[in-house]
Amino acid sequence: MTRPIATKIKAHYDGEDLGASEGLLVAIARLLDPLAEGEALELITENLSVADDLRIWCRRAGHRLVQAVPENGKSNIVIERGFVRRTLSDPAEWGVRIPRRGDTIDMRDWQVGRSAIIAEEAPRGGTLAPRGAAVEEGAPEIEFSIRKRSDIWANSISELYEQATSSQWVGARDIPWRELATLDEEVERSVCQIMTFLAENEYAALYVPARFIGQIHPHFSEAALFLSTVMVDEARHIEVFTKRALANGGGLGVASATTQLSLASLLEPNDFSTASFLLSVLGEGTFLDLLTFLEDHAPEQATREICRRARQDEARHVRFGIAHAKYTLEADISAARRFGKAVELRAEFLKSVSGVGALIEEALIIYAGGGMTPAALRAGTKRVAGLYETMHGNRVKRLAAAGFGIDQADHMSRLHTPNFM
Amino acid sequence: MTKPILMGAVAYDPKVVPIWDGIREYLKEVGPGMDYVLFSNYEAQVDALTSGFIDIAWNTNLAYVRTHRRTNGRCRALAMRDTDVDYCSVIVVRNDAGINSVADLRGKTLALGSRDSGHAAILPLYFLKRQDIDPARDLKLMRFDLDVGKHGDTGASEAAVLNAVASGQAEAGAVGDPFWAKALEERVINGDKVRLLWTTPTYHHCNFTALDSLEESRYKPWVEALLKMDYNNAEHRPLLDMEGLKRWLPAQTEGYRTLFEAVEEQGIE
């Protein structure tokens, strides 16, 4: 049999007895996709309805059924591809392979294929798609206000993300709650007040990233993903601090006006870098020293484990904060002044706050000394004074790590809120 | 300055508004202005066209035939969808009804769409008659007269036809081929129960109709702009998808002959 159109045939499929609505259209659409307009697919079918069904389908899909010839109980059908492109996008990627680290696949290695191209500034219109996906024309363009890399990025961000996901723990299970026993009443009261205070601080640490995640251009998805782990961490910290306050016969303590004023000021900055600098470098940095202190002087194992686990998570948040500040300070010469100004503004705003507040300070002294006997109070007072010194010294070190000079770091550290966070 | 075209369309679905709003915006950008009005049924639209209230009507084949008869042919088809050119009707049957050819339809129940649907009622009967199946004598007709006035645009009566065949109320049924293609694509057809038996010869479906008193200087730029819409353009694609075409074509009219005859034969006003 002569087939004048045979030269245009570029794809073949044997549909056996498969019906059009049983999946045959899937094969046909996929095989037609890579063809050029006018090129053809040849289909062999034993299903008698297929020729008519396809003639009808082709009309709707913008293709042309140009031949349907019966041959030994089968039909030989030729479909010519029309002018219509099914998707208005670049082709999907093919042949990309992320390298393995042993048995694992690590986010640090996923910058392969088109995803490897990270722009300094993402395009104005954003799409909710992985970086490197072939976005179809006509997809809605979403405005994301954080679209400069230096406004959100940190060099270690993928590594921090992997650490975060592999270090998740469960508040209900991983704290030795059964170790809880009745404590000296003043000590228990202090634990409850401190746990209330810690939970308050973690609400700030939860809500600050929450304000920004929705503004991050998905081109910098690593940042959005990492900050999501921060939020999960903070949620878990709020959970365990609250549980501890409620668990041993005490209850939730006082949320003081000065603490609330200090935390509310963390929600003020409208750019992520400044907010992150105040929260993660200065606030959570200081918080690390507090958690170490609470771990060292914990009256029982559950509280010790809570503080230990929270501190490990917070250390990661601080590492991100420092790495992001460093990235921003290197990319943007105005950032140092912006951060300095923010610290001064916050100090000005909080000038009525002269200390951590009597309730917290008393609780820390009793907690660290182990009770309210004269000997305990003497020891506790001394330890808390030592804590303040440690906090200042470590803050200066973290600011230096972010890229500030020692004098500037010392000045900024002294302006930091006495309320720790 | 030429007066903008006032076009009429029938509101058979809420999507009619975004379709014509979108096309109006497109036409505003490329030159010839247009506004549109919506009618609840084709009869009112034909009245509005013949009385001169609108300049152009987006008509079904039956509305075109009525306009043509009403004006003694003093009307003109301007453009149509690519899918309107070689439209056909599909006779579907139950696999267990013992129907293997058109002749086997004799004595069976045939489900039909709305009585004013060219593709799901009028033309299937016309073409079956040319296959020597006399509806009055040979068939029990099960009519689904849904959304009458909308000439089958809503697809409601075709869905009822398909349902009647699938559920065994009718042994066979008639639907338009776009409806069948969509059902195949959406995999709502159970191939074990229902299959395509026969397709009618092709005919034309919708077109933009104007009275022949509409000056060429007014409709020509409008039609030319319409024909330039491009399915591979991301802004045009959603409009064309909603209206069910890949491109607009200049109108052809020879494919309406069968409907003229069918309307005459079946005594449809």
Side-chain angles (χ1 to χ4, degrees):
Chain A
M1 195 177 69
T2 56
R3 286 201 210 114
I5 46 179
T7 50
K8 293 190 293 185
I9 292 172
K10 300 283 184 191
H12 302 267
Y13 189 73
D14 185 345
E16 300 173 3
D17 62 349
L18 186 67
S21 64
E22 290 177 318
L24 183 62
L25 292 177
V26 172
I28 290 174
R30 283 179 83 93
L31 291 169
L32 284 171
D33 264 347
L35 303 188
E37 182 180 354
E39 291 180 344
L41 160 72
E42 182 182 45
L43 167 78
I44 310 293
T45 175
E46 296 156 26
N47 187 312
L48 291 176
S49 300
V50 158
D52 279 329
D53 284 344
L54 287 184
R55 181 176 290 111
I56 288 168
W57 175 82
C58 280
R59 212 167 70 78
R60 182 180 152 85
H63 304 302
R64 218 156 59 88
L65 189 146
V66 291
Q67 173 180 298
V69 182
E71 258 181 12
N72 317 321
K74 298 183 178 184
S75 270
N76 180 297
I77 294 172
V78 176
I79 295 172
E80 193 181 280
R81 193 193 189 290
F83 76 101
V84 165
R85 291 162 65 200
R86 204 148 60 113
T87 28
L88 299 177
S89 70
D90 292 339
E93 278 187 320
W94 186 248
V96 173
R97 191 168 273 125
I98 198 169
R100 301 281 172 96
R101 294 188 185 221
D103 288 337
T104 68
I105 291 187
D106 193 298
M107 189 190 273
R108 276 173 287 181
D109 305 317
W110 84 356
Q111 288 176 25
V112 289
R114 290 193 292 237
S115 162
I117 303 159
I118 308 181
E120 291 308 311
E121 186 162 340
R124 186 164 288 278
T127 37
L128 299 170
R131 180 177 63 241
V135 177
E136 190 175 13
E137 287 170 41
E141 295 189 344
I142 305 167
E143 281 282 331
F144 292 99
S145 56
I146 301 177
R147 56 188 191 87
K148 270 171 67 184
R149 186 171 177 177
S150 61
D151 286 345
I152 196 70
W153 201 255
N155 279 332
S156 49
I157 196 151
S158 297
E159 186 183 347
L160 288 170
Y161 175 82
E162 291 291 1
Q163 284 175 10
T165 52
S166 61
S167 317
Q168 294 299 302
W169 47 280
V170 178
R173 186 193 63 202
D174 294 333
I175 302 300
W177 298 110
R178 74 165 76 84
E179 306 282 332
L180 273 179
T182 306
L183 297 179
D184 169 86
E185 195 176 312
E186 287 303 333
V187 172
E188 180 62 31
R189 202 185 303 281
S190 300
V191 170
C192 289
Q193 182 56 56
I194 290 166
M195 290 296 141
T196 305
F197 174 76
L198 294 177
E200 289 176 78
N201 281 274
E202 297 298 60
Y203 274 100
L206 171 65
Y207 281 78
V208 168
R211 290 181 64 219
F212 292 100
I213 284 182
Q215 301 175 31
I216 299 171
H217 195 296
H219 187 78
F220 305 116
S221 65
E222 287 89 340
L225 299 181
F226 174 72
L227 290 175
S228 304
T229 70
V230 170
M231 288 180 61
V232 176
D233 290 343
E234 303 300 3
R236 193 174 46 238
H237 299 172
I238 291 167
E239 171 209 336
V240 293
F241 294 148
T242 307
K243 281 179 173 171
R244 174 60 190 87
L246 300 173
N248 208 25
L252 286 164
V254 174
S256 75
T258 53
T259 298
Q260 288 298 310
L261 185 67
S262 182
L263 295 178
S265 69
L266 288 172
L267 298 175
E268 287 294 315
N270 280 324
D271 75 285
F272 174 77
S273 298
T274 303
S276 164
F277 179 72
L278 293 180
L279 174 74
S280 299
V281 179
L282 292 172
E284 292 183 305
T286 306
F287 210 61
L288 273 185
D289 293 321
L290 176 62
L291 289 167
T292 304
F293 179 85
L294 295 171
E295 186 186 337
D296 288 348
H297 302 294
E300 32 71 23
Q301 287 308 314
T303 301
R304 188 186 313 279
E305 188 63 4
I306 287 170
C307 294
R308 188 185 72 81
R309 286 185 177 272
R311 177 179 52 77
Q312 285 179 342
D313 293 339
E314 293 298 334
R316 197 163 51 240
H317 307 170
V318 173
R319 279 205 296 282
F320 168 76
I322 292 172
H324 172 58
K326 194 165 186 301
Y327 193 93
T328 307
L329 288 166
E330 282 168 9
D332 176 2
I333 47 163
S334 71
R337 206 161 42 83
R338 200 163 78 236
F339 293 169
K341 187 100 184 141
V343 171
E344 282 167 14
L345 266 175
R346 187 165 185 234
E348 179 67 18
F349 181 74
L350 298 175
K351 65 174 184 271
S352 63
V353 181
S354 56
V356 69
L359 287 176
I360 303 301
E361 194 156 62
E362 288 163 16
L364 287 172
I365 288 169
I366 293 167
Y367 181 100
M372 215 158 65
T373 63
L377 289 176
R378 179 178 291 120
T381 303
K382 207 170 160 193
R383 283 168 185 160
V384 169
L387 169 64
Y388 293 160
E389 274 174 40
T390 306
M391 283 174 167
H392 171 66
N394 285 340
R395 259 200 312 267
V396 172
K397 281 185 204 158
R398 288 183 202 105
L399 288 165
F404 286 99
I406 291 297
D407 289 347
Q408 202 181 358
D410 185 75
H411 174 66
M412 283 172 129
S413 174
R414 286 183 196 285
L415 284 175
H416 183 64
T417 175
N419 198 62
F420 305 155
M421 188 88 134
Chain B
M1 199 184 116
T2 52
K3 219 170 87 185
I5 294 283
L6 185 61
M7 194 208 78
V10 166
Y12 66 88
D13 187 279
K15 74 181 179 189
V16 170
V17 171
I19 291 171
W20 296 109
D21 271 351
I23 293 179
R24 182 178 62 177
E25 284 306 303
Y26 159 74
L27 289 171
K28 198 192 280 175
E29 277 167 34
V30 299
M34 176 195 86
D35 204 352
Y36 69 95
V37 285
L38 297 181
F39 298 90
S40 71
N41 63 85
Y42 280 101
E43 287 61 54
Q45 179 167 292
V46 170
D47 287 346
L49 178 65
T50 52
S51 69
F53 175 67
I54 55 173
D55 301 309
I56 294 176
W58 178 225
N59 272 339
T60 58
N61 44 0
L62 181 61
Y64 169 71
V65 165
R66 280 180 169 155
T67 306
H68 197 278
R69 284 156 62 103
R70 183 93 67 86
T71 60
N72 293 317
R74 284 197 287 278
C75 65
R76 178 182 284 126
L78 302 175
M80 64 207 317
R81 302 172 299 185
D82 53 356
T83 42
D84 288 314
V85 178
D86 47 2
Y87 212 97
C88 66
S89 299
V90 176
I91 303 297
V92 299
V93 293
R94 272 188 74 81
N95 284 346
D96 62 8
I99 304 172
N100 295 311
S101 67
V102 174
D104 293 342
L105 288 170
R106 286 200 187 85
K108 305 290 197 239
T109 300
L110 177 75
L112 291 174
S114 300
R115 64 174 182 269
D116 63 358
S117 167
H119 56 268
I122 302 169
L123 287 165
L125 291 179
Y126 169 86
F127 285 117
L128 283 174
K129 196 153 185 183
R130 269 123 204 97
Q131 296 290 311
D132 208 20
I133 303 287
D134 181 354
R137 189 190 60 213
D138 298 329
L139 297 173
K140 288 191 282 285
L141 298 183
M142 179 183 281
R143 288 186 180 269
F144 291 95
D145 286 328
L146 306 176
D147 300 324
V148 171
K150 295 192 169 64
H151 296 190
D153 277 356
T154 64
S157 68
E158 288 165 285
V161 166
L162 210 50
N163 198 30
V165 178
S167 65
Q169 291 170 265
E171 287 130 325
V175 295
D177 76 309
F179 187 85
W180 182 249
K182 188 161 176 278
L184 289 173
E185 209 164 59
E186 292 172 357
R187 294 190 280 278
V188 296
I189 309 284
N190 180 347
D192 293 337
K193 281 190 180 167
V194 182
R195 70 169 199 281
L196 181 157
L197 173 76
W198 184 66
T199 59
T200 67
T202 59
Y203 49 85
H204 297 338
H205 202 258
C206 300
N207 74 47
F208 290 105
T209 319
L211 299 187
D212 63 5
S213 53
L214 186 69
E215 303 92 325
E216 192 181 351
S217 61
R218 290 190 62 208
Y219 70 74
K220 203 168 166 230
W222 186 84
V223 171
E224 279 170 0
L226 208 59
L227 300 190
K228 282 192 192 122
M229 290 186 81
D230 178 5
Y231 191 73
N232 290 337
N233 174 316
E235 284 178 26
H236 301 177
R237 176 171 287 203
L239 303 173
L240 299 173
D241 272 340
M242 282 190 287
E243 190 49 49
L245 72 155
K246 300 289 188 274
R247 57 179 148 203
W248 297 105
L249 296 173
Q252 306 171 31
T253 52
E254 64 274 23
Y256 292 109
R257 184 188 51 81
T258 46
L259 186 60
F260 278 104
E261 290 176 12
V263 163
E264 199 72 43
E265 182 175 290
Q266 294 172 28
I268 294 167
E269 278 305 305

